[in-house]
């Protein structure tokens, strides 16, 4: 009985601890964006009033922006603003940054999700195959893919992909989320075009959106495939070298059963962490890909804001991408601990 | 020659110099036995030679315009073709080696020592210093690097120096983690206790005895990280936040070629091949170094 109660107590404690770590990391992220926004620029007031403003105008703007208060007070009022969903207005779109981000986020989510599906669906089987046939062609292919994943710039691959598969071969649609012809025909329910068009039964739009999605999502998928396949391979090799696998083989268990039931079973948990990490990395990688494909997502919003020196928008996008990144990382970490009996103790 | 080798491989070196040279010789010969590491080393050697002797190697000026020869496809006169201002792309790629080399060297020189000192202090003292320093390190580690670098450059303003600072700010936490992990393994070792009993200050112990032992794992990590640094720098350049025109930075060159990608493919693709090749070179060399210098094996020797 005491054991059960103890375990429940441990569980509560670890959830509390997790919440604390998560809150601390978010506070850290906020501290960094605050630092970038208020401390790094030479003078944020000048960027608002211009360098020809009189001293009175300057002082008035400084007080209106709250910059005469101590830094720590400014920081906590910033945290308060962010927590109540106030990220300021974007200079270039003229709307609140929060509204902009909500409008652009689904496009990024859709692309990254299709990308990770491609990465997992191809990467895991390839990794398993490479581990069971060490030194075979598939093993070499994964080695090369892994190296390319580390050394090819995503934006360059996007451009080459456009030149080859869109302009050259005509296999996929060009930049953008959808043909201009279909633009605005869809009621945004989820903001994900594939889901919205399927819900509305507009299959023309669905196929068109998929056509546009194919190339950028495949390129994102390639980078996660390279990583997932390499990790799957090394996890599988670890398992296949264990004595229980030899025992199973000696007992006459079929090779397929040894691979998928015995060796693959325990690595599923490790794979969750790997997939979580690469999903988070995809969100980051989409910044470059979106710029190349004129994809109206957060990444494109961020890079447009960068060029217009629209700091509210830059910091807002950084906060959103950073928060999602942190959340996915920490959650996959916790999932690993919950699912793996060895890490649970 | 043979005498020199016997001296280098002596099992009981008479001086610290002999021991260090002997170890360097062993690492060197082991690296030469690893074909991929040799290829990687050669690629980086070519990069360095190109950077140093760019004016001798490049057939044309990297910024000299020749509007009569705009957007020429690769030919004998222009190996990689010309761009929209008639500049020779091969010459620009050669000069671009200088910028790439400058960025990776500066990032390594700034980020590695900062990370090492933070990690070593954290691991050596433990307690609250450790908790606070590693808390900060973990926060930086859990941020998306590229986004963070973008935001920093946005605040600092575009330019090559700011790009270097921004990348260095995102790169140090890894080295702090490595240095801490290494330091903890020998913090309570007897040789550290012996040095402390001789009256050495904490600063001296960390600088003279802890940091050198973290060196090999840091070198491996820095080499492996180089590819990522090159890609981030090229990404900043591509977005117009890194080196400014007319500097021949590879990422910025790709960005300019973007407008011509459908018809004049060579403008954007050629600098991309340079990026891939150099990144691959660092990956190969890093893998080779890891095989040779792996701290676990180094401890046994």
């Amino acid at each position: 009985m005491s054991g059960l109660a103890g375990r429940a107590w441990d569980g509560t404690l670890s959830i509390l601890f997790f919440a604390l770590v998560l809150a601390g990391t978010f506070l850290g992220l906020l501290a960094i964006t605050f630092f970038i926004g208020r401390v790094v620029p030479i003078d944020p007031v000048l960027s608002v009033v211009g360098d020809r403003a009189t001293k009175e105008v300057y002082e008035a703007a400084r007080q209106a922006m709250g910059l005469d208060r101590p830094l720590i007070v400014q920081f906590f009022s910033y945290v308060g603003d962010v927590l109540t969903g106030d990220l300021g207005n974007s200079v270039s779109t003229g709307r609140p940054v929060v509204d902009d981000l909500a409008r652009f986020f689904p496009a990024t989510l859709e692309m990254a999700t299709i990308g990770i599906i491609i990465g997992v669906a191809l990467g895991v089987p390839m990794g398993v195959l490479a581990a069971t046939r060490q030194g075979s062609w598939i093993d070499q292919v994964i080695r090369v893919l892994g190296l390319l994943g580390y050394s090819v710039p995503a934006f360059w691959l996007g451009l080459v992909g456009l030149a080859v598969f869109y302009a050259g071969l005509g296999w996929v649609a060009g930049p953008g989320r959808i043909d201009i012809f279909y633009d605005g025909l869809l009621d945004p329910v989820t903001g994900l075009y594939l889901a919205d068009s399927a819900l509305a039964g507009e299959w023309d739009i669905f196929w068109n959106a998929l056509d546009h999605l194919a190339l950028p999502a495949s390129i994102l998928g390639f980078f996660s495939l390279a990583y997932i396949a390499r990790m799957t391979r090394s996890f599988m090799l670890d398992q296949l070298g264990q004595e229980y696998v030899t025992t199973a083989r000696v007992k006459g268990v079929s090779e397929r059963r040894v691979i998928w039931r015995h060796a693959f079973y325990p690595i599923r948990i490790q794979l969750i962490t790997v997939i979580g990490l690469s999903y988070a990395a995809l969100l980051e990688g989409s910044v470059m890909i979106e710029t190349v494909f004129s994809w109206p997502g957060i990444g494109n919003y961020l890079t447009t804001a960068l060029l217009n020196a629209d700091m509210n928008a830059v910091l807002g996008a950084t906060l959103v991408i950073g928060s999602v990144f942190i959340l996915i990382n920490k959650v996959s970490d916790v999932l690993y601990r919950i699912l793996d009996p060895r890490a649970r103790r | 020659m043979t005498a020199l080798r016997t001296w280098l491989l002596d099992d009981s070196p008479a001086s610290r110099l002999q021991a260090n040279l002997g170890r360097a010789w062993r690492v060197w010969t082991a690296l030469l036995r690893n074909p991929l590491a040799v290829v990687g080393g050669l690629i980086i050697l070519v990069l360095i030679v190109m950077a140093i002797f760019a004016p001798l190697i490049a057939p044309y000026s990297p910024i000299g315009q020749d509007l009569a020869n705009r957007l020429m496809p690769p030919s004998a006169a222009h190996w990689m073709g010309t761009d929209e201002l008639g500049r020779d792309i091969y010459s620009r790629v050669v000069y671009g080696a200088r910028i790439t080399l400058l960025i990776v060297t500066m990032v390594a020189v700034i980020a590695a020592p900062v990370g090492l000192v933070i990690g070593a202090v954290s691991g050596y003292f433990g307690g609250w210093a450790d908790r606070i320093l590693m808390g900060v390190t973990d926060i930086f580690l859990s941020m998306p690097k590229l986004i963070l670098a973008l935001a920093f450059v946005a605040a600092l303003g575009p330019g090559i120096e700011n790009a270097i600072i921004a990348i260095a700010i995102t790169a140090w936490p890894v080295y702090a983690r490595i240095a801490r992990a290494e330091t903890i393994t020998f913090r309570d070792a007897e040789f550290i206790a012996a040095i402390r009993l001789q009256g050495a200050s904490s600063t001296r112990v960390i600088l003279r005895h802890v940091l050198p032992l973290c060196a090999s794992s840091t070198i491996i990590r820095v080499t492996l990280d180089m590819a990522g640094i090159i890609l981030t720098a090229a990404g900043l350049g591509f977005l117009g936040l890194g080196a400014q025109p007319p500097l021949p930075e590879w990422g910025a060159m790709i960005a300019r070629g973007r407008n011509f990608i459908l018809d004049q493919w060579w403008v954007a693709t050629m600098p991309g091949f340079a990026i891939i090749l150099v990144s691959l070179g660092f990956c190969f060399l890093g893998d080779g170094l890891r095989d040779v210098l792996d701290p676990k094996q180094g401890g046994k020797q």
Side-chain angles (χ1 to χ4, degrees):
Chain A
M1 196 230 94
S2 68
L4 254 181
R7 209 178 297 163
W9 175 238
D10 279 354
T12 323
L13 261 188
S14 59
I15 289 170
L16 267 178
F17 183 72
F18 171 68
L20 212 66
V21 169
L22 199 62
T25 316
F26 279 130
L27 206 63
L29 173 65
L30 282 168
I32 293 174
T33 50
F34 172 78
F35 180 79
I36 296 174
R38 308 278 167 92
V39 185
V40 175
I42 320 256
D43 191 340
V45 182
L46 273 188
S47 63
V48 172
V49 299
D51 51 1
R52 284 197 223 141
T54 59
K55 206 167 162 60
E56 290 75 38
V57 173
Y58 180 90
E59 275 308 318
R62 195 170 131 86
Q63 277 181 16
M65 290 167 77
L67 292 173
D68 50 342
R69 295 173 297 169
L71 265 185
I72 188 81
V73 177
Q74 287 184 44
F75 175 62
F76 280 108
S77 93
Y78 171 71
V79 172
D81 284 350
V82 171
L83 287 183
T84 53
D86 177 12
L87 296 171
N89 281 332
S90 157
V91 181
S92 34
T93 64
R95 281 188 301 264
V97 170
V98 177
D99 295 356
D100 279 347
L101 291 174
R103 228 158 46 91
F104 287 114
F105 192 67
T108 303
L109 188 68
E110 189 168 35
M111 186 160 83
T113 307
I114 301 291
I116 195 74
I117 290 175
I118 295 174
V120 174
L122 294 177
V124 172
M126 278 172 81
V128 171
L129 219 61
T132 51
R133 288 177 209 160
Q134 258 188 291
S136 68
W137 64 270
I138 184 113
D139 199 15
Q140 304 296 339
V141 165
I142 284 178
R143 247 186 97 91
V144 173
L145 282 185
L147 282 167
L148 289 180
Y150 275 123
S151 53
V152 177
F155 54 92
W156 182 83
L157 200 59
L159 283 175
V160 172
L162 272 179
V164 174
F165 295 107
Y166 165 59
L169 299 169
W171 287 1
V172 293
R177 260 186 110 180
I178 204 160
D179 282 355
I180 295 174
F181 176 72
Y182 294 113
D183 213 13
L185 287 181
L186 217 52
D187 282 336
V189 183
T190 55
L192 309 170
Y193 281 9
L194 290 182
D196 283 354
S197 57
L199 281 177
E202 300 273 5
W203 294 104
D204 283 1
I205 302 184
F206 179 84
W207 291 116
N208 186 258
L210 198 63
D211 207 8
H212 279 270
L213 197 55
L215 187 57
S218 304
I219 289 173
L220 278 181
F222 159 75
F223 285 98
S224 60
L225 180 158
Y227 178 62
I228 292 175
R230 223 167 30 90
M231 296 309 283
T232 309
R233 177 183 176 275
S234 78
F235 292 155
M236 273 306 272
L237 280 180
D238 271 359
Q239 294 300 328
L240 289 174
Q242 303 274 334
E243 285 178 355
Y244 76 87
V245 169
T246 319
T247 312
R249 280 188 179 138
V250 168
K251 276 164 64 185
V253 178
S254 74
E255 189 61 21
R256 202 161 125 188
R257 203 178 155 80
V258 166
I259 292 167
W260 291 103
R261 289 289 302 179
H262 290 81
F264 186 70
Y265 202 72
I267 72 165
R268 289 169 318 156
I269 298 161
Q270 286 167 297
L271 280 179
I272 288 178
T273 316
V274 168
I275 292 169
L277 280 177
S278 42
Y279 192 37
L282 276 197
L283 283 176
E284 192 188 12
S286 62
V287 173
M288 286 307 200
I289 290 291
E290 284 179 10
T291 312
V292 171
F293 284 89
S294 310
W295 193 261
I298 299 244
N300 207 352
Y301 180 70
L302 173 66
T303 49
T304 317
L306 280 174
L307 299 178
N308 295 328
D310 186 352
M311 268 327 263
N312 281 340
V314 170
L315 295 181
T318 309
L319 264 182
V320 168
I321 300 176
S323 307
V324 175
F325 193 86
I326 292 170
L327 203 64
I328 294 178
N329 271 338
K330 299 281 176 197
V331 166
S332 56
D333 199 35
V334 165
L335 269 183
Y336 177 75
R337 261 184 245 166
I338 292 174
L339 294 176
D340 190 339
R342 282 166 304 175
R344 201 158 33 193
R345 278 185 289 125
Chain B
M1 196 61 212
T2 341
L4 183 66
R5 261 194 65 198
T6 353
W7 182 74
L8 281 169
L9 295 176
D10 198 344
D11 275 339
S12 44
S15 67
R16 181 172 291 194
L17 178 78
Q18 186 182 358
N20 284 340
L21 284 178
R23 180 161 166 74
W25 173 253
R26 282 194 187 92
V27 168
W28 173 249
T29 47
L31 265 184
L32 285 184
R33 278 195 296 273
N34 183 332
L36 275 185
V38 172
V39 172
L42 282 179
I43 292 175
I44 293 156
L45 192 70
V46 168
L47 177 80
I48 295 171
V49 168
M50 273 196 346
I52 296 174
F53 299 106
L56 299 177
I57 294 171
Y60 301 90
S61 149
I63 49 172
Q65 304 183 4
D66 179 8
L67 294 176
N69 283 317
R70 294 176 70 238
L71 296 169
M72 299 291 277
S75 63
H78 300 283
W79 292 3
M80 296 182 180
T82 61
D83 66 5
E84 80 283 9
L85 296 172
R87 296 175 296 199
D88 180 48
I89 295 178
Y90 172 63
S91 303
R92 285 175 68 74
V93 167
V94 169
Y95 274 91
R98 289 186 164 182
I99 299 173
T100 300
L101 203 60
L102 173 77
I103 293 176
V104 294
T105 317
M106 288 307 293
V107 170
V109 166
I110 298 170
V114 170
L116 273 178
V117 169
I118 290 178
V121 167
S122 188
Y124 183 73
F125 290 109
W128 277 106
D130 185 32
R131 255 168 254 169
I132 291 170
L133 287 176
M134 281 305 115
V136 175
T137 308
D138 280 348
I139 286 171
F140 271 89
L141 263 183
S142 52
M143 301 288 155
K145 282 185 171 185
L146 177 69
I147 309 290
L148 205 58
L150 284 178
F152 265 106
V153 184
L156 291 165
I160 202 166
E161 296 89 355
N162 292 341
I164 290 170
I165 295 172
I167 299 174
I169 287 174
T170 62
W172 65 269
V174 184
Y175 310 119
R177 270 276 164 211
I178 290 175
R180 177 178 178 271
E182 291 268 309
T183 308
I184 284 180
T185 58
F186 53 73
R187 176 178 60 189
D188 301 320
E190 280 164 7
F191 73 94
I192 296 281
I195 301 155
R196 233 181 295 166
L197 284 174
Q198 287 172 1
S201 66
S202 299
T203 323
R204 190 182 162 86
V205 174
I206 289 176
L207 286 182
R208 291 294 302 265
H209 302 278
V210 172
L211 286 183
L213 285 171
C214 305
S216 62
S217 43
T218 309
I219 290 173
I220 297 169
R221 188 67 213 207
V222 167
T223 318
L224 286 172
D225 281 352
M226 285 297 182
I229 294 171
I230 291 172
L231 291 192
T232 310
L236 289 175
F238 179 74
L239 294 174
L241 299 170
Q244 296 298 301
L247 282 180
E249 198 272 328
W250 294 341
M253 287 169 71
I254 295 177
R256 301 197 62 126
R258 193 182 161 189
N259 302 327
F260 316 104
I261 183 74
L262 302 184
D263 297 312
Q264 287 90 18
W265 53 269
W266 56 89
V267 184
T269 38
M270 291 305 181
F273 287 124
I275 296 176
I276 296 172
L277 203 62
V278 172
S279 305
L280 274 182
F282 279 112
C283 283
F284 288 160
L285 186 67
D287 274 343
L289 278 174
R290 183 171 47 194
D291 291 346
V292 175
L293 287 176
D294 189 70
K296 285 167 208 151
Q297 289 186 349
K300 279 179 212 149
Q301 277 169 7

